[in-house]
Amino acid sequence: MSSVHHTSVSESRDRQGDGQRSRRCGQYTMNQQITKVTEKPPFDRSSSQDSMDEVSMEDYWTELENIKKSNENRQEDQEVVVVKEPDEGELEEEWLKEAGLSNLFGEAAGDPQESMVFLSTLTRTQAAAVQKRVETVSQTLRKKNKQYQIPDVRDIFAQQRESNDKVPDGTESQSVRTNENKYRGKDDRASSLVVGEKELILLVPEEAPASETDINLEVSFAEQAVSQKESSKEKIQKNRGDDGPLPNFRLPKDKTGTTRIGDLACQDMKKVCYLALIELTALYDVLGVELKQQKAVKIKTKDSGLFGVPLTVLLEQDQRKVSGTRIPLIFQKLISRIEEGGLETEGLLRIPGAATRIKNLCQELEAKFYEGTFNWESVKQHDAASLLKLFIRELPQPLLSVEYLKAFQAVQNLPAKKQQLQALNLLVILLPDANRDTLKALLEFLQRVIDSKEKNKMTAMNVAMVMAPNLFMCHTLGLKSSEQQEFVMAAGTANIMHLLIKYQKLLWTIPKFIVNQVRKQNTENHKKDKKAMKKLLKKMAYDREKYEKQDKTANDADVPQGVIRVQAPHLSKVSMAIQLTEELKASDVLARFLSQESGIVQTLKKGEVFLYEVGGNIGERCLDDDTHMKDLYQLNPNAEWVIKSKPS
């Protein structure tokens, strides 16, 4: 993939004028064929069509002009982040660290068996992605004559066949077994990866059929891409924004419950991020798209203030004012100020506030915001919108993060809209918490703007074109691009922005195949820990098995077969035995507890407390209302069930 760099606003927009811009659009149409700009009357902003075919790029270029004028009125001494060109093997080494596999190489190299539990849960394409990076790092270390222990790739991936047939506690892997018969290959067995003379058997379907509108979360995205390439090479279309309105993708109902970002405990979420990085890399590898993580040199940044302050620093100072704040207070206030003026205002987000006034407002906000003396009545609606975009642009590191900004841009190079959506899903998971939470608040606000498009004339594509330069052109990176790259980036990033807005409810979902991989890791780790504990207890002459048997017998007597005991330590009814049925859902369990509350506690409403799955093969997982309890119990019979509120 040719690298798509950031546009240098100050240089690339010096060539102004309507005639010049028209020539650019014409050249872009002929050379790139990504955006079709035809000879037709100006776009009617009242149109509800969101296709790039019907929208000129005028809003995008106008926004760039506005950004340039804004920059002229801002301080010129802001430090630029230098993006270091990595040495050979450095990116792969960093990738392995980010994927939680640093013990496979270098000074931290140890017994490859330490990573075997993790590696044994990988799909065929995930394993290939890891193998590729391990080999590159190993070759680099050999060239540098490093005296480190370099593991043999065959040793890393060698696995016993039976270890993958079942989860160690004897229960079958749900994600595979529910689809296994449908997805068997011609030789009637699961896929395998041959490494050297050894074979790693992977529980991966050969085919992943799904309807055009369904997003299959049970099967690895990379495996689905392999299947699609093998079964319909001729049918794969290039969807670069010229394929009409976006499809209405949906998530099929999952009886064991949909898992969203924020539903898992930190330790499991860490594993999810490791797997998401490996899966994203595998998906890009399969589709022939280069995935390069950026690594910016650390620079001195402001340690206080509002604009040009790192998100983490901003949240630290905000949390001293409002405990538990996850989205910067200034960001929240700017959005609420825009909404106070009404979302029906025509040209909202597109029409800029006066540059000089914006500069003065910034200075006044810096001085008075935290003192609570700033006069918000003086901020016009378009000024608030300009300040919101300025806040995003002036973050020392982009909202989409330095590490993954190029990966977000590379989404435009994936051949199908479904694959672009899958990649964005994984990228959202990989974002730091502060970036992800702020992005979510932004996308929700943008959707509310679009919901009023009949009056404000801002369709999804209009909003996407206005916002794309603000999110994808981080001025602090100081990267320059050619005019040709500029056009590619304009249409590509506008389309990515459109996808982020339209599919935001899907993007915060953790794919089921990744959750199941985490479950399997936890089960196998638990088995290892249990073995170690038994050994220790045996030395202490303690009969653990007898104790467990007695304990199990006591529990069985307490809770009959087909019944779960739900704990609610903070409610008046602290415990309840509930009979499992095919129809029983998590919402039904909550309703039974809340219906028995009285007095002050009765004020608790649905949405304030949740049912959690705790222990067994998961650390802790907040259940959605539609989770079928019997199906989940069969997946995790050793779990406990607890009702509590979500941590802020």
Side-chain angles (χ1 to χ4, degrees):
M1 179 197 77
S2 61
S3 194
V4 180
H5 297 292
H6 301 275
T7 305
S8 174
V9 176
S10 59
E11 292 186 27
S12 62
R13 296 268 56 85
D14 283 341
R15 303 174 297 278
Q16 301 178 27
D18 293 338
Q20 178 73 355
R21 190 176 296 135
S22 298
R23 288 193 295 276
R24 280 180 178 175
C25 288
Q27 175 188 351
Y28 177 64
T29 305
M30 289 183 288
N31 293 343
Q32 301 303 325
Q33 296 183 343
I34 293 176
T35 304
K36 298 177 182 176
V37 182
T38 56
E39 292 295 323
K40 58 169 69 176
F43 173 62
D44 177 7
R45 295 190 186 279
S46 64
S47 168
S48 62
Q49 292 190 39
D50 292 340
S51 168
M52 277 284 272
D53 287 347
E54 301 300 324
V55 184
S56 76
M57 292 298 294
E58 189 68 19
D59 282 349
Y60 186 96
W61 304 124
T62 301
E63 183 66 16
L64 283 183
E65 299 291 353
N66 295 336
I67 290 172
K68 182 188 173 185
K69 289 175 186 174
S70 172
N71 287 346
E72 288 170 354
N73 284 274
R74 295 289 287 159
Q75 53 270 50
E76 299 294 330
D77 58 349
Q78 187 158 11
E79 197 165 356
V80 172
V81 178
V82 179
V83 179
K84 182 186 172 188
E85 279 299 317
D87 296 330
E88 184 185 2
E90 189 177 346
L91 275 177
E92 289 78 8
E93 190 170 322
E94 191 62 35
W95 185 92
L96 287 166
K97 286 179 183 176
E98 291 291 321
L101 294 168
S102 56
N103 69 323
L104 295 181
F105 66 92
E107 293 174 318
D111 183 358
Q113 294 297 319
E114 290 180 20
S115 294
M116 290 311 295
V117 168
F118 182 85
L119 293 169
S120 68
T121 66
L122 300 185
T123 67
R124 171 188 56 192
T125 50
Q126 289 173 349
V130 173
Q131 179 181 335
K132 182 178 176 183
R133 274 82 198 166
V134 169
E135 286 175 341
T136 301
V137 172
S138 298
Q139 289 167 8
T140 304
L141 292 176
R142 287 192 187 98
K143 284 180 186 176
K144 293 179 179 178
N145 295 317
K146 298 285 186 182
Q147 299 303 310
Y148 300 144
Q149 178 184 352
I150 303 166
D152 190 299
V153 178
R154 289 173 296 181
D155 293 333
I156 294 172
F157 288 100
Q159 281 291 293
Q160 292 299 321
R161 206 171 281 231
E162 63 268 16
S163 68
N164 286 292
D165 288 338
K166 289 191 176 183
V167 176
D169 63 357
T171 60
E172 293 182 325
S173 174
Q174 180 81 4
S175 64
V176 175
R177 298 303 173 190
T178 54
N179 297 289
E180 188 176 11
N181 293 334
K182 289 190 285 182
Y183 299 140
R184 285 291 189 182
K186 290 180 181 178
D187 57 354
D188 197 36
R189 64 181 180 85
S191 308
S192 64
L193 171 68
V194 178
V195 184
E197 298 174 355
K198 302 184 179 180
E199 187 178 46
L200 172 63
I201 302 302
L202 300 142
L203 297 174
V204 179
E206 288 292 344
E207 298 175 4
S211 74
E212 285 185 7
T213 53
D214 280 353
I215 296 296
N216 187 344
L217 298 183
E218 294 198 18
V219 179
S220 156
F221 298 153
E223 294 297 332
Q224 292 182 45
V226 169
S227 175
Q228 186 178 0
K229 284 177 74 175
E230 290 174 351
S231 62
S232 55
K233 289 180 181 177
E234 319 80 36
K235 296 178 184 177
I236 295 179
Q237 298 174 350
K238 294 285 181 183
N239 294 330
R240 302 287 178 87
D242 56 348
D243 56 341
L246 295 178
N248 290 316
F249 290 121
R250 65 171 183 259
L251 297 179
K253 286 287 183 184
D254 178 5
K255 284 196 166 186
T256 60
T258 300
T259 308
R260 295 179 180 86
I261 294 170
D263 286 350
L264 296 177
C266 291
Q267 207 54 35
D268 281 342
M269 192 60 198
K270 196 174 180 181
K271 294 170 187 172
V272 166
C273 289
Y274 290 156
L275 290 162
L277 176 57
I278 295 172
E279 175 65 16
L280 177 71
T281 308
L283 179 63
Y284 277 38
D285 282 356
V286 167
L287 297 173
V289 175
E290 189 175 12
L291 174 64
K292 279 197 173 182
Q293 286 177 266
Q294 296 267 115
K295 202 69 179 174
V297 175
K298 288 184 180 178
I299 60 166
K300 186 178 180 181
T301 55
K302 290 167 65 177
D303 55 8
S304 64
L306 299 175
F307 295 88
V309 180
L311 274 177
T312 49
V313 173
L314 202 51
L315 287 172
E316 282 173 13
Q317 61 189 27
D318 285 353
Q319 285 163 1
R320 288 194 285 270
K321 296 280 184 183
V322 181
S323 178
T325 300
R326 296 173 65 92
I327 299 156
L329 295 177
I330 181 64
F331 191 82
Q332 295 182 50
K333 184 60 183 175
L334 287 169
I335 287 177
S336 66
R337 183 62 188 157
I338 296 168
E339 294 188 320
E340 283 167 14
L343 296 179
E344 297 81 19
T345 305
E346 187 166 344
L348 189 61
L349 296 177
R350 178 167 45 82
I351 298 174
T356 305
R357 193 166 63 242
I358 297 301
K359 180 182 179 181
N360 293 335
L361 284 170
C362 279
Q363 293 171 348
E364 199 176 343
L365 277 166
E366 293 281 9
K368 298 179 179 179
F369 179 73
Y370 284 115
E371 293 177 2
T373 58
F374 181 78
N375 179 20
W376 282 100
E377 296 299 320
S378 66
V379 182
K380 298 177 182 178
Q381 191 181 32
H382 291 304
D383 291 346
S386 292
L387 286 167
L388 182 73
K389 291 187 287 186
L390 181 67
F391 172 86
I392 295 168
R393 287 198 309 276
E394 293 220 341
L395 288 171
Q397 296 195 0
L399 185 59
L400 301 179
S401 81
V402 171
E403 290 81 2
Y404 298 110
L405 184 61
K406 277 196 171 183
F408 270 99
Q409 291 172 344
V411 167
Q412 64 184 294
N413 299 319
L414 302 180
K417 277 286 179 276
K418 187 179 286 187
Q419 290 160 349
Q420 292 175 359
L421 177 57
Q422 290 167 340
L424 288 174
N425 181 198
L426 297 168
L427 282 164
V428 165
I429 291 171
L430 287 167
L431 285 175
D433 290 347
N435 298 59
R436 193 195 305 121
D437 293 337
T438 305
L439 176 64
K440 190 172 192 290
L442 174 65
L443 295 177
E444 289 171 349
F445 163 67
L446 295 179
Q447 185 58 57
R448 294 195 293 273
V449 172
I450 293 162
D451 289 342
S452 298
K453 65 184 175 185
E454 296 303 324
K455 292 185 177 178
N456 62 31
K457 316 302 183 194
M458 295 298 289
T459 67
M461 203 61 232
N462 293 135
V463 171
M465 283 190 291
V466 168
M467 294 305 299
N470 294 283
L471 264 77
F472 286 93
M473 293 176 51
C474 182
H475 67 290
T476 57
L477 289 179
L479 297 176
K480 300 173 184 178
S481 61
S482 67
E483 186 169 298
Q484 185 179 2
Q485 288 172 327
E486 189 178 317
F487 282 117
V488 174
M489 183 168 161
T493 56
N495 274 305
I496 296 164
M497 193 72 226
H498 192 185
L499 292 173
L500 285 168
I501 297 169
K502 182 174 177 68
Y503 299 123
Q504 56 185 282
K505 289 183 179 178
L506 306 182
L507 298 179
W508 264 255
T509 303
I510 302 175
K512 183 177 180 180
F513 71 88
I514 288 181
V515 176
N516 281 328
Q517 286 178 294
V518 171
R519 288 185 187 277
K520 188 176 180 190
Q521 286 179 35
N522 289 340
T523 304
E524 296 191 6
N525 281 325
H526 178 68
K527 184 182 179 185
K528 283 174 63 180
D529 294 343
K530 198 172 179 182
K531 279 183 178 178
M533 183 62 72
K534 279 186 176 181
K535 217 171 186 180
L536 177 64
L537 293 175
K538 196 173 182 181
K539 289 178 183 177
M540 297 169 62
Y542 185 83
D543 189 355
R544 181 177 175 80
E545 287 187 9
K546 183 178 178 182
Y547 170 80
E548 287 182 342
K549 189 174 180 181
Q550 290 170 348
D551 189 48
K552 189 173 186 300
T553 304
N555 285 336
D556 288 345
D558 184 37
V559 183
Q561 188 73 22
V563 174
I564 58 171
R565 182 161 293 283
V566 180
Q567 307 291 335
H570 302 299
L571 301 183
S572 55
K573 181 80 173 176
V574 297
S575 177
M576 188 186 294
I578 295 180
Q579 178 71 49
L580 292 173
T581 65
E582 296 292 339
E583 297 78 25
L584 183 73
K585 296 181 181 179
S587 57
D588 301 325
V589 175
L590 283 169
R592 291 191 195 182
F593 273 86
L594 294 178
S595 66
Q596 298 194 21
E597 292 304 306
S598 58
I600 298 173
V601 190
Q602 196 172 18
T603 59
L604 281 172
K605 298 173 186 173
K606 181 182 171 185
E608 292 181 4
V609 290
F610 302 87
L611 179 59
Y612 280 78
E613 169 194 7
V614 181
N617 55 35
I618 203 79
E620 184 176 280
R621 175 174 170 253
C622 182
L623 305 182
D624 73 58
D625 286 347
D626 290 330
T627 304
H628 285 68
M629 297 306 298
K630 188 171 184 179
D631 292 85
L632 183 56
Y633 174 78
Q634 289 170 350
L635 177 63
N636 191 5
N638 297 318
E640 296 179 358
W641 314 96
V642 182
I643 292 176
K644 60 178 183 174
S645 58
K646 245 186 182 181
S648 59

